[in-house]
Amino acid sequence: MAVTDGELRGTNRWTRARIGAGVALNVALAVAAAFGLTVLAGRPSARVRVDLTADQRNRLDPATESVLSQLPEKVQVDVFFRPEAQPLTAAFAEAQSRMYDVLLLAADTRPDKLKLVQHDLSGASTGDSVVEQRMAELGVDRVNVFVVSAGDRRVVVPIFGEVAEFDIGFMGQDPAQRRLPSMISFRGEEALLEALLQVSLTDAPAVYFSYGQGEPDLYGDESVDLGKLHSELVADGFRVARWTPAEDGPIPDDAAVLAVMSPKQPFDANESEWVRAFLERGGGLVLAANPFAGGDADVVGALARDYGVVVGPGVVCSPYRSATGGLVEGDAQVAGLTILPDAMNRDHAITAPLRRAGRPVRQNFSRPLELSRAPDRGLLADLFGTLPGQSWVEAPAPGEDANWAYDEDSERLGAYLLAATSVFPPQRDGAFVPEAVQRERPECRLFVAGSHFVFSNGNFATNRDFARNVFNWATSREFRARISPRSIEDRRFPLGADDSLHRLHLVSSYLLPLLATAAGCYVAWRRRRNPLRSQ
Amino acid sequence: MILRRELAGLFLSPLAWILLCVGLFVVGWNFTTQIEGARGDVFVGMQFAAGGPLYWGVMIFLPPLITMRMISEEARTGMLEFLQTAPVTDTAVVVGKFLAAWGFMALFWSCLLVYGLAIDLLGVDPDWGVVLGGYLGAVSVSALFCGVGLLCSAMTSTPLLAAFFGIIANIVAIRLPQLAALPKAKWLTWSSGQLDLVSGMQRSWLIGVFDSQVAVLFGVWTALFLFLCVRAVEARRWR
């Protein structure tokens, strides 16, 4: 509001107050307008972002952009990063920083679809901090992860293994062999994309666990029960229920996966037929053998054999290390096996992430498996087993007790398969893709484990990711995303190789300031010589 | 006419040359130190030269020191009264002074382009998108802080006081999100988040991205401070 001369002439107190109020209103309106414009400019529809860099390093892959734009609801990404201990401190910090840049870019590209929250973990040691509360809400029990969540669905993505792989280096005596710890691969955008795909699924596949044949309790909290598996599957977006063949009849139509865990009694002919029909028309079947069942009671053995996986008799054993470091056998602890990442299939969707992350799998009382002939146009895969020459199969004769010790006369040291899969096209009419399964064509998927202990509460802390991978694989929810490789040019000065950095230092730190000083001196000199002209 | 007069006034005063020399030394030294610290990585070096703590330090001090005398000194010596009676509007006076100060800052930050050229000549491709982004970002922040400095200069007749107010205002502008988070009011945190200059720079110009939101943020608030400055100059007529 312009103040006219007329208004200023002969002003009194009220006129001044009126003018002051007018100006104050003017200012307030201007500030409000500026703020409003700023907020409007941040709206996704009004916003334009142009990457000026030569290698387009500030753009997400079109696949990620597409998934972000199609998210049905806004997702939140909670970041729980903390410095890693030596020797990986620097390499890990690089992975964290690159991952955070990807997350920031995603949040900046679609702020209407993705909210990024970085948590400060410096105060998260008292047990009651806001950060720890949030971690508890999300069910996160470790740091250096980010959690992608939408509604009740959430995916925990660890830096180690899922986002980046590291080489811990080698600091031996020989200088020629020394290697600094480093990051050897980074797949941050793929990890984010996979997590976004996973949380954006709105349909929950149904998993039925057979019940009534002496299976372990699906809701129990004993170490042999499956309560933790049940909770994890629910948190991972599955609907979990029991299938009692004697009461329910055929497998429900909405089933995506049927799990048969260590049954003690056999299915009758009808029930076996229902299971086979379900698998052969495109369902997912997860079988875990009962280590103590044989003959007619060996339901799992009979089912698996038809699809190329033979479940052998006995229990795979391996000597364990005592507190003093010696190898011990002679008690049931030899039936507890730890499968190291090196003994896992590096290409299978179930084991590849575990191998990358260096995560072992625990198994107990497992029966040995063997691959035989694959079903018509099918494919068999061994997932993991014991290493050659370190284990044997304890198979006592009927009526005898196991002695849990290697007997070279009757037992053979070797490598034994503990888990396998079989995939094949539907073999029956009426092939179907189960509801809520992310697969275009019908495909039968069978997973077989030597015992259910690989899913049991007692081993669940170690095997959580393995268990999730198995059920996600059975429903084709592997979420392996592929991002086109980027060729970001490394723009570096060759340190120490030549003196180019020194020359840059001379130009930027000395030459430019000296030029400015010289120009200032010249102006001062001209001004002194001819003060009137230079005014 | 006012722009020419102001530019001549700036470059004829020793203060401008001293600030230019010291500022160039600080920015240049920071630039090469950062490149060295980043094991020769030009991208990181450029990000810190146009966005690190020293950069913001230069930004806090330089514009208020350039603009402190532009209105307050003239008001004290009576030149402003003379200008206001001349056939030019208050807006023209303020915009002329602003363009002079902004031009000086644009010249100062052109050192980033010189660094890019030097890197190129020394055989490493500097990624001109990042260099240009760094320069445009520096020019945007300079525009805003020159506007703030001019407003402070218009509100007092003592140049040093104007510089002091300008420096404080710049610090507040940069630390706004942290200051607004203190009362723990959600709406305040949200509002200040919309005006977060540092993160705006970090997610746009500094990484070589043109972001219309950030461009509007700097443009609109610079215009606002110039508008307030015109009102403050106009208010001097009442006294």
Side-chain angles (χ1 to χ4, degrees), chain A residues 47-48 50 52 58 505 527 534, chain B residues 12 32 40 207-208 210-212:
Chain A
R47 197 166 167 209
V48 179
V50 181
L52 304 172
N58 298 308
H505 189 55
R527 198 178 173 194
S534 60
Chain B
L12 287 176
T32 44
I207 53 172
F210 166 79
D211 187 335
S212 61

Side-chain angles (χ1 to χ4, degrees), chain A residues 296-451:
Chain A
D296 291 343
D298 190 6
V299 182
V300 168
L303 279 170
R305 191 185 317 116
D306 294 347
Y307 306 106
V309 182
V310 177
V311 182
V315 170
V316 180
C317 300
S318 184
Y320 63 93
R321 291 204 177 273
S322 68
T324 55
L327 287 173
V328 179
E329 53 187 82
D331 61 54
Q333 282 192 60
V334 294
L337 307 168
T338 300
I339 298 94
L340 297 176
D342 286 348
M344 295 181 191
N345 187 324
R346 67 169 70 237
D347 299 318
H348 200 285
I350 294 175
T351 45
L354 304 173
R355 191 176 160 118
R356 271 204 309 273
R359 235 166 278 157
V361 170
R362 292 274 308 158
Q363 173 65 302
N364 300 80
F365 299 102
S366 174
R367 289 173 64 176
L369 308 180
E370 267 180 55
L371 301 182
S372 62
R373 214 175 129 203
D376 187 25
R377 289 174 291 144
L379 195 65
L380 297 174
D382 53 341
L383 294 189
F384 54 75
T386 56
L387 293 173
Q390 293 183 4
S391 53
W392 72 93
V393 175
E394 190 75 26
E400 285 183 19
D401 288 334
N403 63 0
W404 305 115
Y406 172 60
D407 176 358
E408 59 184 358
D409 295 332
S410 59
E411 289 156 355
R412 181 177 62 84
L413 281 178
Y416 294 94
L417 183 61
L418 303 173
T421 59
S422 175
V423 180
F424 49 94
Q427 299 179 339
R428 295 193 189 212
D429 292 338
F432 72 113
V433 176
E435 230 178 81
V437 165
Q438 306 297 302
R439 145 190 340 153
E440 286 174 9
R441 282 176 302 178
E443 194 175 73
C444 314
R445 295 192 166 201
L446 169 72
F447 166 88
V448 186
S451 84

Side-chain angles (χ1 to χ4, degrees), chain A residues 8 16 34 38 47-52 54 58 108 491-493 495 500 505 508-509 516-517 520 527 534, chain B residues 12 17 21 25 29 32 38-40 42-43 115 122 125 127 129 203 207-212 220-221 231 238:
Chain A
L8 291 169
R16 282 173 177 271
T38 310
R47 197 166 167 209
V48 179
R49 274 173 67 88
V50 181
D51 189 358
L52 304 172
N58 298 308
D108 230 28
R491 299 165 199 278
R492 282 179 194 273
F493 272 102
L495 290 180
S500 50
H505 189 55
S508 56
S509 301
T517 310
R527 198 178 173 194
S534 60
Chain B
L12 287 176
W17 291 104
C21 179
F25 174 75
W29 178 82
T32 44
R39 292 188 282 185
V42 173
F43 184 76
Y115 299 160
L122 288 169
D125 182 0
D127 194 338
R203 61 172 199 260
I207 53 172
V209 168
F210 166 79
D211 187 335
S212 61
V220 163
W221 287 86
R231 288 288 163 265
W238 314 347

Side-chain angles (χ1 to χ4, degrees), chain A residues 127-375:
Chain A
D128 58 355
S129 72
V130 176
V131 180
E132 289 202 342
Q133 280 174 23
R134 181 64 183 153
M135 287 175 82
E137 263 175 49
L138 293 168
V140 178
D141 53 6
R142 51 193 157 157
V143 293
N144 286 327
V145 298
F146 67 90
V147 185
V148 181
S149 57
D152 294 337
R153 299 180 303 282
R154 59 180 162 71
V155 179
V156 180
V157 186
I159 289 283
F160 202 93
E162 279 298 302
V163 169
E165 290 175 272
F166 300 92
D167 173 10
I168 59 165
F170 179 73
M171 303 305 281
Q173 296 292 324
D174 182 3
Q177 290 190 331
R178 279 184 194 164
R179 280 190 334 272
L180 284 173
S182 62
M183 181 170 69
I184 53 177
S185 75
F186 178 80
R187 53 185 299 280
E189 195 172 341
E190 286 96 326
L192 173 64
L193 179 54
E194 287 161 13
L196 289 174
L197 285 169
Q198 210 164 337
V199 293
S200 62
L201 287 177
T202 47
D203 293 330
V207 179
Y208 284 90
F209 283 76
S210 68
Y211 182 65
Q213 267 64 37
E215 296 91 340
D217 188 355
L218 180 58
Y219 308 103
D221 52 11
E222 298 287 324
S223 69
V224 297
D225 291 335
L226 302 171
K228 288 185 178 174
L229 173 66
H230 172 260
S231 307
E232 186 66 23
L233 290 178
V234 170
D236 207 22
F238 290 94
R239 281 183 293 125
V240 183
R242 277 175 172 161
W243 172 59
T244 312
E247 293 172 11
D248 302 338
I251 297 162
D253 289 340
D254 64 340
V257 176
L258 174 69
V260 181
M261 297 284 180
S262 294
K264 289 175 185 160
Q265 286 96 43
F267 289 126
D268 66 25
N270 270 345
E271 292 162 354
S272 288
E273 174 54 21
W274 291 335
V275 175
R276 283 195 171 84
F278 169 74
L279 174 65
E280 290 177 13
R281 289 173 58 221
L285 184 59
V286 175
L287 297 177
N290 187 321
F292 309 109
D296 291 343
D298 190 6
V299 182
V300 168
L303 279 170
R305 191 185 317 116
D306 294 347
Y307 306 106
V309 182
V310 177
V311 182
V315 170
V316 180
C317 300
S318 184
Y320 63 93
R321 291 204 177 273
S322 68
T324 55
L327 287 173
V328 179
E329 53 187 82
D331 61 54
Q333 282 192 60
V334 294
L337 307 168
T338 300
I339 298 94
L340 297 176
D342 286 348
M344 295 181 191
N345 187 324
R346 67 169 70 237
D347 299 318
H348 200 285
I350 294 175
T351 45
L354 304 173
R355 191 176 160 118
R356 271 204 309 273
R359 235 166 278 157
V361 170
R362 292 274 308 158
Q363 173 65 302
N364 300 80
F365 299 102
S366 174
R367 289 173 64 176
L369 308 180
E370 267 180 55
L371 301 182
S372 62
R373 214 175 129 203

Side-chain angles (χ1 to χ4, degrees), chain A residues 514-529:
Chain A
L514 277 176
L515 277 176
T517 310
C521 291
Y522 176 72
V523 169
W525 175 71
R526 285 289 302 267
R527 198 178 173 194
R528 180 166 289 192
R529 271 190 65 189

